Amino acid sequence: MIDVLLGLQWGDEGKGKIVDYLADKYDIIARFQGGPNAGHTLYVNGTKVVLHTIPSGVFQPHCLNLIGNGVVIDPVTLQAELHKILPLCPDLLSRLFVSQRAHLILPTHRALDAASEAAKGSDKIGSTLKGIGPAYMDKTGRNGLRVGDILSPNFTEKYNKLKQKHLQMLKQYDQVVEWEQWEAPFLEAIEQLGKLQIVNGEYWLNNHLKNGKKVLAEGAQGSMLDIDFGTYPFVTSSNTIAGGVCSGLGVAPGMVGDVYGITKAYCTRVGSGPFPTELFDETGDALRKAGAEFGATTGRPRRCGWIDLVALRYTVMLSGVTKLIITKADILDEFNPIKAAVAYTVNGVETNEFPYDVNDDIGLVPVYKTFEAWDTPISGTTNFDELPQTFKDYCSFVEDYLGTKIAFISNGTGRNELIAIS
Ligand code: GDP
Ligand code: IMO
Ligand code: MG
């Protein structure tokens, strides 16, 4: 069976930390979508590591790791990442596999991302500028280059053809993006990428599944950034929900087992777009400070607000979440009271559904339920029974509202700062 772990909010829910913990019980960790727009943080013997393209199972020595066909790869970022983590993980290359069908991010994809964002002015998506959107556009437009193409004798020809197409496209923008300096490192990194273990990912994975191996699919971004169901157009360019696993890895729906859905005990978003429970006051600032809410990929300050159970019930439904994980519950130790959105009013009418047109001025106001603050801090324990009753009441409410049981509560950055609920 293949289990799935994905973010239920707008990304940065703590997926990296949890995958690193859960990988102990899996043979293979597989990324199925996204690319270097992701920043997954974990701590290896106290050292902070941020992974962008490499799956978060690499620090469990028995785990194999697959970058699946649904991922878009920037060879330069991947090389930089390998250089950083090889000293911590010397056998990494023997445990890392790349699907030949994964698409490549070219220097001119990054240039197009930058030019497109600049042209949008105040309507910009707030992209990470890693070239994600343009690379997926070439994939669906049937122009893209794939990892398997690196091994073809015509690679340079194919690369130049696509580059020329991009240069024509760049002419339509006023913005000049100096991308040329990115080309030599790209071509060098392509050579290195060609030396990794490039596999037919779908056969590789299905054969392992047939042999009884346990696989965990690692999501990137979050469900509210999904290309179909997120707050379009302020989304990323891939399917971040559980549905993306089958097409992003080549596994059949019947092979999918548990779906772990992660949410912070509050909510954050980085980049533009609607965020119904965003706080513009000192509580929002305090959440950012207490939670160190700055982007792991871009360093941008994250927008902060209360947990949004309306949006969460929507994303739990979209992915059929079977096990909930609440992270950063320790951050709320300092807050009193604690709130959660349990409905919205839209032009005065109450609803429990996430609206289609939340982007427009539809007069959306969240309806909050207020919880008592935890009477003792929840950091520092790994035992559910030791948690304060006020926190247990909060957990019961969330479980009832979402119709899903909580499997883990994370209360610190370290791998084992976690409470498992049996
Ligand atoms: P990801 O993209 O979902 O992997 O999440 P990020 O790594 O972008 O952001 C999550 C941040 O929260 C990282 O800095 C983690 O070290 C940190 N983190 C994860 N879980 C917890 C937790 O339970 N408590 C605290 N205090 N920090 C956490
Ligand atoms: P992880 O995996 C948070 C956001 C960007 C922007 C929008 C589109 O660490 O949770 P893109 O570069 O994909 O074109 O940007 O999506 N975004 C993320 N926000 N965490 C991420 O990944 C993100 N990846 C993209 O900020 O608003
Ligand atoms: Mg992140």
Side-chain angles (χ1 to χ4, degrees):
M1 288 300 256
I2 174 165
D3 294 339
V4 180
L5 180 141
L6 48 79
L8 295 173
Q9 300 171 306
W10 280 276
D12 303 329
E13 297 90 348
K15 298 176 290 293
K17 173 203 154 146
I18 302 293
V19 172
D20 174 52
Y21 169 83
L22 288 179
D24 187 30
K25 297 180 186 61
Y26 289 91
D27 302 299
I28 298 169
I29 306 296
R31 275 278 304 269
F32 60 95
Q33 47 69 232
N37 47 351
H40 294 181
T41 313
L42 40 95
Y43 283 81
V44 188
N45 302 324
T47 304
K48 179 178 172 177
V49 178
V50 180
L51 297 172
H52 301 287
T53 310
I54 295 174
S56 304
V58 285
F59 295 106
Q60 296 279 8
H62 68 281
C63 243
L64 303 184
N65 294 271
L66 174 70
I67 302 173
N69 59 277
V71 176
V72 285
I73 299 177
D74 181 338
V76 179
T77 319
L78 180 57
Q79 273 312 306
E81 219 172 312
L82 285 171
H83 274 292
K84 254 195 208 145
I85 57 176
L86 269 168
L88 298 169
C89 198
D91 69 337
L92 168 65
L93 295 183
S94 66
R95 295 188 289 111
L96 182 66
F97 299 82
V98 185
S99 165
Q100 60 191 354
R101 293 182 192 276
H103 278 246
L104 296 174
I105 302 176
L106 273 48
T108 39
H109 282 137
R110 285 171 60 195
L112 283 165
D113 208 359
S116 159
E117 283 284 83
K120 284 188 170 157
S122 59
D123 291 334
K124 71 175 183 190
I125 311 282
S127 151
T128 58
L129 302 180
K130 302 294 178 191
I132 304 294
Y136 277 116
M137 279 164 69
D138 271 336
K139 175 178 178 174
T140 51
R142 295 152 303 169
N143 296 307
L145 285 183
R146 298 183 290 176
V147 167
D149 291 324
I150 297 174
L151 309 175
S152 142
N154 305 334
F155 179 75
T156 310
E157 199 182 308
K158 288 182 182 176
Y159 168 71
N160 283 327
K161 200 168 154 202
L162 189 53
K163 180 175 89 177
Q164 288 310 322
K165 184 172 174 344
H166 292 163
L167 296 183
Q168 285 301 322
M169 290 164 74
L170 280 166
K171 282 189 189 155
Q172 71 178 300
Y173 294 105
D174 295 334
Q175 180 81 9
V176 177
V177 184
E178 305 286 348
W179 60 272
E180 290 86 346
Q181 78 276 14
W182 299 336
E183 190 169 51
F186 171 80
L187 294 172
E188 162 64 24
I190 279 285
E191 292 255 321
Q192 300 305 318
L193 175 54
K195 293 179 191 159
L196 298 183
Q197 303 187 79
I198 297 175
V199 293
N200 183 321
E202 58 278 25
Y203 277 114
W204 185 89
L205 200 59
N206 279 289
N207 286 336
H208 277 300
L209 285 165
K210 229 180 269 169
N211 292 331
K213 299 292 183 200
K214 287 193 71 185
V215 182
L216 180 67
E218 174 181 2
Q221 291 76 60
S223 308
M224 294 305 289
L225 289 169
D226 182 272
I227 182 73
D228 282 281
F229 301 104
T231 44
Y232 193 88
F234 300 99
V235 294
T236 190
S237 299
S238 63
N239 280 118
T240 58
I241 60 169
V245 171
C246 296
S247 56
L249 291 173
V251 292
M255 298 297 286
V256 176
D258 270 318
V259 179
Y260 291 96
I262 305 195
T263 172
K264 284 179 188 169
Y266 51 99
C267 192
T268 63
R269 171 164 205 171
V270 61
S272 326
F275 178 1
T277 59
E278 182 168 12
L279 294 168
F280 299 94
D281 56 8
E282 60 279 8
T283 308
D285 292 340
L287 280 171
R288 187 174 310 107
K289 192 157 173 254
E293 295 295 353
F294 295 88
T297 296
T298 58
R300 293 178 291 177
R302 294 177 183 148
R303 300 155 62 192
C304 296
W306 295 119
I307 195 169
D308 183 342
L309 295 177
V310 179
L312 279 176
R313 187 147 66 183
Y314 178 60
T315 56
V316 162
M317 172 188 81
L318 292 172
S319 287
V321 171
T322 58
K323 291 182 185 281
L324 264 184
I325 300 175
I326 298 191
T327 56
K328 302 193 103 161
D330 53 307
I331 300 304
L332 294 187
D333 279 350
E334 299 167 22
F335 289 79
N336 186 12
I338 288 162
K339 293 187 184 183
V342 292
Y344 301 147
T345 58
V346 176
N347 289 328
V349 180
E350 193 163 309
T351 178
N352 289 317
E353 294 193 355
F354 198 84
Y356 162 79
D357 50 357
V358 65
N359 295 331
D360 303 329
D361 188 12
I362 56 168
L364 187 153
V365 182
V367 178
Y368 288 107
K369 176 176 167 61
T370 301
F371 294 85
E372 263 180 67
W374 328 147
D375 29 29
T376 50
I378 71 148
S379 41
T381 182
T382 53
N383 182 351
F384 185 76
D385 295 335
E386 284 175 12
L387 294 173
Q389 191 55 43
T390 42
F391 178 68
K392 288 182 180 165
D393 292 345
Y394 167 90
C395 290
S396 299
F397 183 86
V398 170
E399 284 184 331
D400 289 346
Y401 190 101
L402 299 179
T404 313
K405 288 283 176 203
I406 299 171
F408 295 101
I409 293 160
S410 171
N411 60 352
T413 54
R415 183 187 276 173
N416 294 312
E417 288 180 287
L418 200 79
I419 301 152
I421 304 175
S422 45

